[in-house]
Amino acid sequence: MLDIHNLSISFQRYTRGFVRETLSPVSDVSLSVHAGEIVALIGASGAGKSLLAHAMLGLLPKNATLKGDFRFKGEDLSPARIRELRGREIALIPQSVSHLNPLIRVGKQVYRSARLSGRCHCTASASCDNAFSRYQLAETIKAQFPFQISGGMARRVLTATATAGKADLIIADEPTTGLDPEVTEQSLTHLQELAAQQKGVLLITHDLENAARIADTLVVLYDGRTVEITPTSSLSEGTASLHPYTRALWQALPQNGFIRFPHAVEKDDVRKCGCAFACRCPEATSSCRDRMPPLKQIGEKMMRCTHVTG
Amino acid sequence: MQTFPADNFWMNRSVRLFLTLLLVAILAFTLVSLSPVDPVNAYLGMDRMQIGPEQEQLIIDRWGLDRPPVERFFIWGGNVLQSDLGQSMIFNEPVTTVIAKRFLTSLHLMALAWLLSGVLGFVLGVLAGMRQNSFVDRSVRLYSYLMASTPSFWMGMVLLAIFSVSLGWTPICGAYPPGLTSADSTMWQRLHHLLLPAATLSIIGIAQIALHTREKMIDAMNSDYAIFALAQGDSRIGVAIHHALRNICLPAITLQFASLGELFGGSVLAEQVFSYPGLGKATVEAGIRGDVPLLLGITLFSAMFVFSGNMIADLLYSKLDPRISNRREAL
Amino acid sequence: MNVQSLPITESVQFSLIPALSNRRRAWLACLLCGGFFLALVVTAGILGTSGLDIDFLHRKLAPSLAYPFGTDWLGRDMLVRTVHGLCRSLSIGLLAAGCSSVISVGIGIMAATMGRRVDSILSLLIDIVMATPHLVLLILVSFACGGGARGVVIAVAVSHWPRLARILRAEILQLRTSEFISISRRLGKTPGWIALHHMLPHLIPQFMIGLILMFPHAILHAAGLTFLGFGLTPHNPSIGILLSESMRHLSTGYWWLAILPGLSLVCTVKLFDILGNNLRTLLDPRTTQD
């Protein structure tokens, strides 16, 4: 459904004098989402995940340039086309209740979301009611304001806004951050239900543990580049075939050994042209530091590392 | 289940109003007593020559004019509580009558200016904030920053020179045509005389309100919920109408009512330029000619006016903002 | 979705001199404005009393090359009168703003550092002064001082301090509870040292900025007060008095007597505003590195 190849997002800005500086927080991202698949986009803060989500919804500021292949259902997406599709075929489940208007009742906001997705007046009403009952939200919740509902209810309401429409691709932004285990469980179950309805789900998170539980594919982002695309099943087969970064993340989890994440060996402020992870990678060689490895297909995976083969 | 402690609100506010007025009265009385003007002269003025010594002694006894200031304050305060603010030396009428009459005249001017600056300021602010750095935004900002450096009385003079003197469209001074009284002049005539003073007050008021509204609008359009609404497929104008407007209405209302103080000050200047016989002009005359009772009375009245404005703003806010009015119902 | 993590602002800044950074532009603006004010004062000094002689042959002349601002009803050159008036207005405004800021610093510091009782009394005082409509207060104080230019200065000084005092008080209160101050205290530094090294760097920019932003207000309010007739001085009138005298002649068509001096006041205040804003850019620690 969604196909992204070599996507880069860069910003231009003026520094002293006439000098124009180009920042590229996202330089080479590839991922794809199929119907009924849950893809987890893993990355640390600052890796470019939110930027990617912005780009997919056409919310980048004016001085941003988007390059690369960006296809949805086989169609190339231009900014104008994204504006048409967002809310209708691509929907967002935002991170927190601050994304809801504090002065409008929750039911009305879900209804509006349904209307914006292209439904007419009556179907929108019905769909809003459906969404509320599907997520076990009582009728009385519709009249509440966002500040009146609890964290778990808020999560369900936010999911309802995305599913009140007919969207086929759901982007879930950090659905588990800062929530207690019960609510997290619920949130993840809802995403699984969406996938079961043959929708595509892109799960953006830094929570590898929860993502690994429900995702079919993992896309790992480091410093604005995709470093690995792997089916989640390969995690349980052993960490030897993983990208060093993914391996380090996985092993850092309490239940996997709680091994300390490698620190930067050299002070590396200047961006070198080699692999960005080289300064922390225990397997780094000089060839890693000289040349950026390309994203290669290795079996079922895509990998950007000179050390992992076959 | 009571959703808002209404009784407490009014009790609270009444007490605060009384305290405020009391303290303002103390401040005003202190200032007035510091004046080098002889208190007897201040109360009697030129009439002192005309009344006899017994009459003068009666007045001195009534108001304690030969007593020390603190005693004078209590005597004055006592009289005020009995609704007697004294006699205005300039107008030869009880102060309460003077204030009532002139306030009514001023009220037309202030109400018109308040409405104009509120509505137009809000509209301009919304249009400017909706698209930052657009032509509308830059024009509104230029206009507002210029007006911030412009004295309102000079603005009035410019308007007077253009519209009354050169073009002859509007009258030069007064609230109604010369020779007529308030009762004789028609509403249209009065409106005609109101135009320029109200325009003077509004031009500056619009600038201030537009600037504040624009800032709030920009905040709203860049907020999380506005971005999410765009992500849901809403257009920029849709976001402005369905989300931003609602969220800036409350701060706009507060601003409107808080601007009553500025409005009063502006009306003093505008009435001077156009010789409009309102409360502002009376204040100036009282200050220059040393009419102490009138000055004190106007101070109390204006403080009450500003206080009421703020109180109404708070009341509206508490009723209209669901986050406050629904506090008891929160789960 | 954290919008704040986006590194760049929505729109590219538009400027007439893109080659200069914000900081350099601010310096340039300050220099130009400062130059203007210097020129004003020097001109007033050079002109002296020339052009102020009563000359009935040249009464009420419209603006021309010989008399750029025209002449008034006594034949005096309006340009000279305006320049002197501006200097006078500026000095009144600056003096008033200066006094006002000193008062606000004193009261702000006292309110924030001398305990709760003093704080409540002073806060109450601030509230009361702000509860009275500004112009009414100005008139009252002016009346209390018996009028004259001194009365105007005192009136403006006494009515402008509450706002800045409130800001300084809030700033100091916030600082006192901030972490780096309490750590300093625990490390054993004396209150004097803390005040000098931690609080002053925060407070001085706030104070300077407040002071600078107060000038245009003070000048305009002083002009308004003198216009109403409260600061009458027999000689060397300020712009307010100039305008009030000229107003009488508006209805007979001698517009230049009131409009042009007022226009110069607007330009002067605007330049002061620009100066103030650029000084703020330079002094505010948040923008000074741009």
Side-chain angles (χ1 to χ4, degrees), chain B residues 57 64 66 84 98 105 111 114 122 134 289 296 317 327:
Chain B
Q57 193 56 39
D66 53 352
D84 179 12
V98 175
T105 323
W114 191 67
F122 185 77
S134 60
R289 291 159 67 173
L296 287 175
Y317 217 107
R327 206 178 282 157

Side-chain angles (χ1 to χ4, degrees), chain A residues 223 225 271-278 286-293:
Chain A
D223 196 38
R225 288 186 175 80
R271 198 53 60 227
K272 300 218 169 83
C273 41
C275 174
F277 192 57
S286 53
S287 64
C288 296
R289 283 185 257 276
D290 292 329
R291 213 175 50 89
M292 170 69 68

Side-chain angles (χ1 to χ4, degrees), chain C residues 189-227:
Chain C
K189 302 286 183 188
T190 61
W193 191 94
I194 293 178
L196 197 61
H197 285 89
H198 282 307
M199 292 201 174
L200 274 186
H202 267 270
L203 293 174
I204 288 187
Q206 283 276 31
F207 169 70
M208 297 293 301
I209 291 164
L211 172 65
I212 290 162
L213 289 179
M214 212 192 278
F215 287 152
H217 281 273
I219 297 172
L220 283 177
H221 277 124
L225 250 191
T226 48
F227 170 75

Side-chain angles (χ1 to χ4, degrees), chain B:
Chain B
M1 177 173 65
Q2 210 183 10
T3 52
F4 194 77
D7 301 329
N8 279 0
F9 178 86
W10 289 110
M11 264 294 281
N12 206 336
R13 289 308 155 121
S14 311
V15 169
R16 278 180 66 175
L17 174 62
F18 181 71
L19 269 175
T20 309
L21 286 181
L22 178 65
L23 291 168
V24 168
I26 295 179
L27 178 68
F29 203 86
T30 318
L31 286 171
V32 155
S33 312
L34 287 171
S35 159
V37 176
D38 173 31
V40 183
N41 266 335
Y43 276 68
L44 296 174
M46 298 317 273
D47 293 344
R48 195 176 186 179
M49 317 283 193
Q50 295 170 7
I51 58 172
E54 304 92 20
Q55 188 81 349
E56 196 176 309
Q57 193 56 39
L58 268 174
I59 296 178
I60 290 178
D61 286 335
R62 180 110 202 277
W63 293 96
L65 297 178
D66 53 352
R67 304 282 180 75
V70 179
E71 271 199 59
R72 256 188 284 145
F73 174 72
F74 280 108
I75 296 175
W76 177 77
N79 283 331
V80 167
L81 287 173
Q82 293 165 29
S83 308
D84 179 12
L85 285 163
Q87 184 88 347
S88 159
M89 160 197 110
I90 305 175
F91 298 99
N92 258 322
E93 279 177 318
V95 167
T96 32
T97 320
V98 175
I99 293 183
K101 264 202 311 203
R102 318 266 329 210
F103 177 63
L104 228 50
T105 323
S106 277
L107 189 61
H108 294 128
L109 172 63
M110 285 201 279
L112 188 57
W114 191 67
L115 278 173
L116 270 179
S117 51
V119 169
L120 286 179
F122 185 77
V123 168
L124 282 179
V126 164
L127 289 175
M130 204 158 75
R131 270 176 230 283
Q132 254 187 303
N133 283 332
S134 60
F135 175 70
V136 174
D137 183 28
R138 280 186 288 188
S139 325
V140 169
R141 264 190 296 166
L142 183 67
Y143 163 70
S144 299
Y145 289 138
L146 267 180
M147 286 301 128
S149 315
T150 313
S152 56
F153 56 93
W154 179 75
M155 197 74 229
M157 286 197 265
V158 170
L159 289 178
L160 190 65
I162 299 176
F163 291 103
S164 295
V165 181
S166 297
L167 294 172
W169 287 354
T170 41
I172 293 182
C173 61
Y176 13 84
L180 295 178
T181 62
S182 159
D184 294 338
S185 53
T186 67
M187 197 183 79
W188 289 115
Q189 284 172 322
R190 275 193 289 217
L191 203 61
H192 192 214
H193 282 261
L194 261 183
L195 276 179
L196 279 192
T200 310
L201 275 181
S202 311
I203 287 187
I204 312 262
I206 289 176
Q208 288 170 343
I209 293 187
L211 214 55
H212 278 113
T213 311
R214 171 186 171 274
E215 267 203 47
K216 293 275 180 307
M217 187 74 184
I218 291 176
D219 281 344
M221 294 295 283
N222 288 336
S223 64
D224 279 347
Y225 55 84
I227 305 276
F228 182 47
L230 284 175
Q232 288 175 310
D234 219 341
S235 63
R236 232 182 140 72
I237 294 187
V239 171
I241 297 176
H242 282 108
H243 289 279
L245 270 188
R246 194 181 292 247
N247 286 56
I248 59 176
C249 264
L250 287 176
I253 290 177
T254 318
L255 182 66
Q256 246 321 68
F257 281 97
S259 69
L260 282 179
E262 280 285 322
L263 196 69
F264 193 85
S267 75
V268 173
L269 292 167
E271 286 177 14
Q272 185 77 353
V273 173
F274 293 97
S275 297
Y276 193 82
L279 200 54
K281 193 136 198 300
T283 319
V284 174
E285 288 188 41
I288 292 191
R289 291 159 67 173
D291 187 347
V292 168
L294 184 58
L295 198 55
L296 287 175
I298 292 181
T299 310
L300 278 183
F301 182 75
S302 56
M304 193 169 70
F305 185 66
V306 169
F307 186 91
S308 322
N310 287 328
M311 189 177 72
I312 296 179
D314 284 342
L315 186 66
L316 281 176
Y317 217 107
S318 64
K319 286 278 183 296
L320 295 176
D321 188 340
R323 288 169 286 197
I324 300 176
S325 58
N326 282 348
R327 206 178 282 157
R328 294 282 172 88
E329 293 172 17
L331 287 161

